[in-house]
Coordinates of all heavy atoms in Angstrom, one line a residue:
M1186 N 38.5 -68.8 -209.3 CA 39.4 -68.1 -208.4 C 38.6 -66.9 -207.7 O 39.3 -66.0 -207.1 CB 40.6 -67.4 -209.2 CG 41.5 -68.4 -209.9 SD 42.3 -69.5 -208.6 CE 43.6 -68.5 -208.1
T1187 N 37.3 -66.9 -207.6 CA 36.5 -65.9 -207.1 C 36.9 -65.8 -205.5 O 36.9 -64.6 -205.0 CB 35.0 -66.2 -207.2 OG1 34.8 -66.4 -208.5 CG2 34.2 -65.0 -206.6
Y1188 N 37.1 -66.9 -204.9 CA 37.4 -66.9 -203.5 C 38.6 -66.0 -203.2 O 38.6 -65.1 -202.3 CB 37.7 -68.3 -203.0 CG 37.8 -68.3 -201.5 CD1 36.7 -68.1 -200.7 CD2 39.1 -68.5 -201.0 CE1 36.9 -68.1 -199.3 CE2 39.2 -68.6 -199.6 CZ 38.2 -68.3 -198.7 OH 38.3 -68.4 -197.4
F1189 N 39.7 -66.1 -204.0 CA 40.9 -65.4 -203.8 C 40.7 -63.9 -204.1 O 41.3 -63.0 -203.4 CB 42.0 -66.0 -204.5 CG 42.5 -67.3 -204.0 CD1 42.0 -68.5 -204.6 CD2 43.0 -67.5 -202.8 CE1 42.3 -69.8 -204.2 CE2 43.3 -68.8 -202.3 CZ 42.9 -69.9 -202.9
K1190 N 39.9 -63.7 -205.1 CA 39.6 -62.3 -205.5 C 38.8 -61.6 -204.3 O 39.1 -60.5 -204.0 CB 38.8 -62.3 -206.8 CG 38.6 -60.9 -207.4 CD 37.8 -60.9 -208.5 CE 37.4 -59.4 -209.0 NZ 36.2 -59.4 -209.9
N1191 N 37.9 -62.4 -203.8 CA 37.1 -61.8 -202.6 C 38.1 -61.5 -201.5 O 37.8 -60.4 -200.8 CB 36.0 -62.8 -202.2 CG 34.8 -62.9 -203.1 OD1 34.8 -62.0 -204.1 ND2 34.0 -63.9 -202.9
I1192 N 39.0 -62.3 -201.2 CA 39.9 -62.0 -200.1 C 40.8 -60.7 -200.4 O 40.9 -59.8 -199.6 CB 40.9 -63.3 -199.9 CG1 40.1 -64.3 -199.3 CG2 42.2 -62.8 -199.0 CD1 40.9 -65.6 -199.0
A1193 N 41.1 -60.6 -201.6 CA 41.9 -59.4 -202.1 C 41.1 -58.1 -202.0 O 41.6 -57.1 -201.5 CB 42.3 -59.6 -203.5
V1194 N 39.8 -58.2 -202.4 CA 38.8 -57.0 -202.2 C 38.6 -56.8 -200.7 O 38.7 -55.6 -200.3 CB 37.5 -57.3 -202.8 CG1 36.4 -56.3 -202.6 CG2 37.7 -57.5 -204.3
A1195 N 38.4 -57.8 -199.9 CA 38.2 -57.6 -198.4 C 39.4 -57.0 -197.8 O 39.3 -56.1 -197.0 CB 37.8 -58.9 -197.7
R1196 N 40.7 -57.5 -198.2 CA 41.8 -57.0 -197.6 C 42.1 -55.5 -198.0 O 42.4 -54.7 -197.2 CB 43.0 -57.8 -198.2 CG 44.3 -57.6 -197.4 CD 45.5 -58.4 -198.0 NE 46.6 -58.4 -197.0 CZ 47.4 -57.4 -196.7 NH1 47.2 -56.2 -197.2 NH2 48.3 -57.5 -195.7
Q1197 N 41.7 -55.2 -199.3 CA 41.8 -53.9 -199.7 C 41.0 -52.9 -198.9 O 41.4 -51.8 -198.6 CB 41.4 -53.8 -201.2 CG 41.6 -52.4 -201.8 CD 43.1 -52.0 -201.9 OE1 43.9 -52.8 -202.5 NE2 43.5 -50.8 -201.5
A1198 N 39.8 -53.4 -198.6 CA 38.8 -52.6 -197.8 C 39.5 -52.2 -196.4 O 39.3 -51.2 -195.9 CB 37.5 -53.3 -197.6
I1199 N 40.2 -53.3 -195.9 CA 40.7 -53.0 -194.5 C 41.9 -52.1 -194.6 O 42.0 -51.1 -193.8 CB 41.2 -54.4 -194.0 CG1 40.0 -55.3 -193.6 CG2 42.0 -54.3 -192.7 CD1 40.4 -56.7 -193.3
T1200 N 42.8 -52.3 -195.6 CA 44.0 -51.4 -195.7 C 43.5 -50.0 -196.2 O 44.1 -49.0 -195.8 CB 45.0 -51.9 -196.7 OG1 44.5 -52.2 -197.9 CG2 45.6 -53.2 -196.1
D1201 N 42.5 -49.9 -196.9 CA 41.8 -48.6 -197.2 C 41.4 -47.8 -195.9 O 41.6 -46.6 -195.9 CB 40.6 -48.7 -198.1 CG 41.0 -48.9 -199.6 OD1 42.2 -48.9 -200.0 OD2 40.1 -49.1 -200.5
K1202 N 40.9 -48.5 -195.0 CA 40.4 -47.9 -193.7 C 41.6 -47.6 -192.7 O 41.7 -46.6 -192.1 CB 39.4 -49.0 -193.1 CG 38.8 -48.4 -191.8 CD 37.7 -49.3 -191.3 CE 37.1 -48.7 -190.0 NZ 36.0 -49.6 -189.5
H1203 N 42.6 -48.6 -192.7 CA 43.6 -48.5 -191.7 C 45.0 -48.0 -192.3 O 45.9 -47.8 -191.4 CB 43.7 -49.7 -190.9 CG 42.5 -50.1 -190.2 ND1 42.1 -49.4 -189.0 CD2 41.5 -51.0 -190.4 CE1 41.0 -49.9 -188.5 NE2 40.6 -50.8 -189.3
G1204 N 45.1 -48.1 -193.6 CA 46.4 -47.8 -194.1 C 47.3 -49.0 -194.2 O 47.0 -50.1 -193.7
Q1205 N 48.3 -48.9 -195.0 CA 49.3 -50.0 -195.2 C 50.3 -50.2 -194.1 O 50.9 -51.3 -194.0 CB 50.1 -49.8 -196.6 CG 49.2 -49.6 -197.8 CD 48.6 -50.9 -198.4 OE1 49.1 -52.0 -198.0 NE2 47.7 -50.7 -199.3
Q1206 N 50.5 -49.2 -193.3 CA 51.5 -49.4 -192.2 C 51.0 -50.3 -191.2 O 49.9 -50.3 -190.8 CB 51.7 -48.0 -191.6 CG 52.2 -46.9 -192.6 CD 53.7 -47.1 -193.0 OE1 54.5 -47.6 -192.2 NE2 54.0 -46.7 -194.2
K1207 N 52.0 -51.0 -190.6 CA 51.6 -51.9 -189.5 C 51.3 -51.0 -188.3 O 51.8 -49.9 -188.1 CB 52.6 -52.9 -189.2 CG 53.9 -52.4 -188.7 CD 54.9 -53.5 -188.5 CE 56.3 -52.9 -187.9 NZ 57.4 -53.8 -187.8
P1208 N 50.3 -51.5 -187.4 CA 49.9 -50.6 -186.3 C 50.9 -50.7 -185.2 O 51.8 -51.5 -185.1 CB 48.5 -51.3 -185.9 CG 48.8 -52.7 -186.3 CD 49.4 -52.6 -187.5
Q1209 N 50.8 -49.7 -184.3 CA 51.7 -49.7 -183.1 C 51.4 -50.8 -182.2 O 52.3 -51.4 -181.6 CB 51.5 -48.4 -182.3 CG 51.7 -47.1 -183.1 CD 53.3 -46.7 -183.0 OE1 54.1 -47.4 -182.4 NE2 53.7 -45.6 -183.6
L1210 N 50.2 -51.2 -182.2 CA 49.8 -52.4 -181.3 C 48.8 -53.2 -182.1 O 48.0 -52.7 -182.9 CB 49.0 -51.8 -180.0 CG 49.8 -51.1 -179.0 CD1 48.9 -50.5 -177.9 CD2 50.8 -52.0 -178.3
T1211 N 49.0 -54.4 -181.9 CA 48.0 -55.4 -182.6 C 46.6 -55.1 -182.1 O 46.4 -54.9 -180.9 CB 48.4 -56.8 -182.2 OG1 49.7 -57.1 -182.8 CG2 47.4 -57.9 -182.9
F1212 N 45.7 -55.0 -183.0 CA 44.4 -54.7 -182.7 C 43.3 -55.4 -183.5 O 43.7 -55.9 -184.6 CB 44.0 -53.2 -182.7 CG 44.0 -52.7 -184.1 CD1 42.7 -52.5 -184.8 CD2 45.1 -52.3 -185.0 CE1 42.7 -52.1 -186.1 CE2 45.0 -51.9 -186.2 CZ 43.9 -51.7 -186.8
C1213 N 42.2 -55.6 -183.0 CA 41.0 -56.2 -183.7 C 40.0 -55.1 -183.9 O 39.8 -54.2 -183.1 CB 40.4 -57.3 -182.8 SG 41.5 -58.7 -182.4
A1214 N 39.3 -55.3 -185.0 CA 38.2 -54.4 -185.4 C 37.2 -55.2 -186.2 O 37.4 -56.3 -186.7 CB 38.7 -53.1 -186.0
E1215 N 36.2 -54.6 -186.5 CA 35.1 -55.1 -187.4 C 34.6 -54.0 -188.3 O 34.7 -52.8 -188.2 CB 33.9 -55.5 -186.5 CG 34.1 -56.6 -185.5 CD 32.9 -56.9 -184.7 OE1 31.9 -56.1 -184.7 OE2 32.9 -58.1 -184.2
M1216 N 34.1 -54.6 -189.5 CA 33.4 -53.6 -190.5 C 32.4 -54.6 -191.1 O 32.4 -55.7 -191.1 CB 34.3 -53.1 -191.5 CG 35.0 -54.1 -192.4 SD 35.8 -53.5 -193.9 CE 37.2 -52.6 -193.1
S1217 N 31.4 -53.9 -191.7 CA 30.4 -54.7 -192.5 C 31.1 -55.3 -193.6 O 32.0 -54.6 -194.3 CB 29.2 -53.8 -192.8 OG 29.6 -52.7 -193.5
C1218 N 30.8 -56.5 -193.9 CA 31.6 -57.2 -194.9 C 31.4 -56.6 -196.3 O 30.3 -56.4 -196.8 CB 31.2 -58.7 -194.9 SG 32.1 -59.6 -196.1
P1219 N 32.5 -56.2 -197.1 CA 32.3 -55.7 -198.4 C 32.0 -56.8 -199.5 O 31.7 -56.4 -200.6 CB 33.6 -55.0 -198.7 CG 34.7 -55.8 -197.8 CD 33.9 -56.3 -196.6
I1220 N 32.1 -58.1 -199.1 CA 31.9 -59.1 -200.0 C 30.4 -59.5 -200.1 O 29.7 -59.4 -201.1 CB 32.8 -60.4 -199.7 CG1 34.2 -59.8 -199.6 CG2 32.6 -61.4 -200.8 CD1 34.8 -59.2 -200.9
C1221 N 29.9 -60.0 -198.9 CA 28.6 -60.5 -198.9 C 27.6 -59.4 -198.5 O 26.3 -59.5 -198.7 CB 28.4 -61.7 -197.9 SG 28.8 -61.2 -196.1
K1222 N 28.0 -58.3 -197.9 CA 27.2 -57.1 -197.5 C 26.3 -57.4 -196.4 O 25.3 -56.6 -196.1 CB 26.5 -56.6 -198.7 CG 27.2 -56.5 -200.1 CD 28.0 -55.3 -200.3 CE 28.4 -55.1 -201.7 NZ 29.6 -54.4 -201.7
A1223 N 26.3 -58.7 -195.9 CA 25.3 -59.1 -194.9 C 26.0 -59.4 -193.6 O 25.5 -59.0 -192.5 CB 24.5 -60.3 -195.4
G1224 N 27.2 -59.9 -193.7 CA 27.8 -60.3 -192.5 C 28.8 -59.2 -192.0 O 28.9 -58.2 -192.5
T1225 N 29.5 -59.6 -190.8 CA 30.5 -58.7 -190.2 C 31.8 -59.2 -190.4 O 32.0 -60.5 -190.1 CB 30.1 -58.5 -188.8 OG1 28.9 -58.0 -188.5 CG2 31.1 -57.6 -188.0
L1226 N 32.8 -58.4 -191.0 CA 34.1 -58.9 -191.1 C 34.9 -58.5 -189.9 O 35.1 -57.4 -189.6 CB 34.7 -58.2 -192.4 CG 36.0 -58.7 -192.9 CD1 36.0 -60.2 -193.3 CD2 36.5 -57.9 -194.0
S1227 N 35.3 -59.5 -189.2 CA 36.1 -59.4 -188.0 C 37.6 -59.5 -188.4 O 37.9 -60.5 -189.0 CB 35.8 -60.3 -186.9 OG 34.5 -60.1 -186.5
Y1228 N 38.5 -58.6 -188.0 CA 39.8 -58.7 -188.5 C 40.8 -58.3 -187.3 O 40.5 -57.5 -186.5 CB 40.1 -58.0 -189.8 CG 39.7 -56.5 -189.6 CD1 40.7 -55.6 -189.3 CD2 38.4 -56.1 -190.0 CE1 40.2 -54.3 -189.3 CE2 38.0 -54.8 -189.9 CZ 39.0 -53.9 -189.5 OH 38.6 -52.6 -189.5
Q1229 N 42.0 -58.7 -187.4 CA 43.1 -58.4 -186.6 C 44.3 -58.0 -187.5 O 44.6 -58.6 -188.4 CB 43.5 -59.6 -185.7 CG 44.6 -59.4 -184.8 CD 45.0 -60.5 -184.0 OE1 44.2 -61.0 -183.1 NE2 46.3 -61.1 -184.1
I1230 N 45.0 -56.9 -187.1 CA 46.2 -56.5 -187.8 C 47.3 -56.5 -186.7 O 47.3 -56.0 -185.7 CB 46.1 -55.1 -188.3 CG1 44.8 -54.9 -189.3 CG2 47.3 -54.7 -189.2 CD1 44.5 -53.6 -189.8
S1231 N 48.3 -57.2 -187.2 CA 49.5 -57.6 -186.3 C 50.5 -56.4 -186.2 O 50.8 -55.9 -187.2 CB 50.2 -58.8 -186.8 OG 51.5 -58.9 -186.0
A1232 N 50.9 -55.9 -185.0 CA 51.8 -54.9 -184.9 C 53.3 -55.5 -185.2 O 54.2 -54.7 -185.4 CB 51.8 -54.4 -183.4
V1233 N 53.5 -56.8 -185.2 CA 54.8 -57.3 -185.4 C 55.1 -57.3 -186.9 O 56.3 -56.9 -187.2 CB 54.8 -58.9 -185.0 CG1 56.0 -59.5 -185.3 CG2 54.4 -58.9 -183.6
N1234 N 54.2 -57.6 -187.8 CA 54.5 -57.7 -189.1 C 53.5 -57.2 -190.1 O 53.6 -57.2 -191.3 CB 54.8 -59.1 -189.6 CG 53.8 -60.1 -189.1 OD1 52.6 -59.7 -188.9 ND2 54.0 -61.3 -189.0
G1235 N 52.4 -56.6 -189.5 CA 51.3 -56.0 -190.3 C 50.5 -57.0 -191.0 O 49.5 -56.6 -191.8
H1236 N 50.6 -58.3 -190.6 CA 49.7 -59.3 -191.3 C 48.4 -59.2 -190.8 O 48.1 -58.8 -189.7 CB 50.3 -60.8 -190.9 CG 51.5 -61.0 -191.7 ND1 52.1 -62.3 -191.7 CD2 52.4 -60.3 -192.5 CE1 53.1 -62.4 -192.4 NE2 53.4 -61.1 -193.0
I1237 N 47.4 -59.5 -191.6 CA 46.0 -59.4 -191.4 C 45.4 -60.7 -191.4 O 45.6 -61.6 -192.2 CB 45.2 -58.5 -192.4 CG1 45.9 -57.1 -192.4 CG2 43.8 -58.5 -192.2 CD1 45.3 -56.2 -193.6
A1238 N 44.6 -61.0 -190.3 CA 43.7 -62.2 -190.3 C 42.3 -61.7 -190.2 O 42.1 -60.8 -189.4 CB 44.1 -63.1 -188.9
A1239 N 41.4 -62.3 -190.9 CA 40.0 -61.9 -191.0 C 39.1 -63.0 -191.2 O 39.5 -64.0 -191.9 CB 40.0 -60.7 -192.0
E1240 N 37.9 -62.8 -190.7 CA 36.8 -63.9 -190.9 C 35.5 -63.1 -191.0 O 35.2 -62.3 -190.0 CB 37.0 -64.8 -189.7 CG 35.9 -65.9 -189.9 CD 36.1 -67.0 -188.8 OE1 36.9 -66.8 -187.9 OE2 35.3 -68.0 -188.9
C1241 N 34.8 -63.5 -191.9 CA 33.4 -63.0 -192.0 C 32.4 -63.8 -191.1 O 32.6 -65.1 -191.0 CB 33.0 -62.9 -193.5 SG 31.3 -62.3 -193.7
S1242 N 31.4 -63.1 -190.7 CA 30.4 -63.9 -189.8 C 29.6 -64.8 -190.8 O 28.9 -65.8 -190.3 CB 29.5 -62.9 -189.0 OG 28.8 -62.1 -189.9
T1243 N 29.6 -64.6 -192.0 CA 28.9 -65.5 -192.9 C 29.8 -66.7 -193.2 O 31.0 -66.5 -193.6 CB 28.6 -64.7 -194.2 OG1 27.8 -63.6 -194.0 CG2 27.8 -65.6 -195.2
S1244 N 29.2 -68.0 -192.9 CA 30.1 -69.1 -192.9 C 30.8 -69.4 -194.2 O 31.9 -69.9 -194.3 CB 29.3 -70.3 -192.5 OG 28.3 -70.5 -193.3
D1245 N 30.2 -69.1 -195.4 CA 30.8 -69.4 -196.6 C 31.5 -68.2 -197.3 O 31.7 -68.2 -198.5 CB 29.8 -70.1 -197.6 CG 28.6 -69.3 -197.9 OD1 28.4 -68.3 -197.2 OD2 27.8 -69.5 -198.8
C1246 N 31.7 -67.2 -196.5 CA 32.3 -66.0 -197.0 C 33.7 -66.0 -196.8 O 34.4 -67.1 -196.7 CB 31.6 -64.6 -196.5 SG 32.0 -63.2 -197.3
V1247 N 34.5 -64.9 -196.8 CA 35.9 -64.8 -196.7 C 36.4 -65.2 -195.3 O 35.9 -64.8 -194.3 CB 36.4 -63.6 -197.2 CG1 36.3 -63.3 -198.7 CG2 35.9 -62.3 -196.4
K1248 N 37.6 -65.8 -195.3 CA 38.3 -66.1 -194.0 C 39.7 -66.4 -194.4 O 40.0 -67.1 -195.4 CB 37.8 -67.4 -193.5 CG 38.5 -67.8 -192.2 CD 37.8 -69.1 -191.7 CE 38.6 -69.5 -190.3 NZ 38.0 -70.7 -189.7
W1249 N 40.7 -65.6 -193.9 CA 42.0 -65.9 -194.2 C 42.9 -65.5 -193.0 O 42.5 -64.7 -192.1 CB 42.5 -65.2 -195.4 CG 42.8 -63.8 -195.3 CD1 44.0 -63.2 -195.1 CD2 41.9 -62.7 -195.4 NE1 43.9 -61.8 -194.9 CE2 42.6 -61.5 -195.2 CE3 40.4 -62.6 -195.7 CZ2 42.0 -60.2 -195.3 CZ3 39.9 -61.3 -195.7 CH2 40.6 -60.1 -195.5
M1250 N 44.2 -66.0 -193.1 CA 45.2 -65.6 -192.0 C 46.4 -65.5 -192.8 O 46.8 -66.4 -193.6 CB 45.2 -66.8 -191.0 CG 46.0 -66.4 -189.8 SD 45.9 -67.7 -188.5 CE 44.3 -67.5 -187.8
E1251 N 47.2 -64.5 -192.4 CA 48.5 -64.3 -193.1 C 49.7 -64.6 -192.3 O 49.5 -64.6 -191.0 CB 48.6 -62.8 -193.6 CG 47.6 -62.4 -194.6 CD 47.6 -61.0 -194.8 OE1 48.4 -60.2 -194.2 OE2 46.8 -60.6 -195.7
Ligands
ZN1806 ZN1 31.0 -61.6 -195.9

């Protein structure tokens, strides 16, 4: 279940940075990936429902859509 744990950790890193509240406008941002430490984690947070979609630039690292 490491994969799902990695997603939880990556998601936590995003919400630690931006907060739990959904944004006023849907936006995209990037951070250095907290999982592989090598790739770039690109993510989008929806203004509609606060859902997060994210993908690491490392092919076998985290990727999810809510
Ligand atoms: Zn990564």
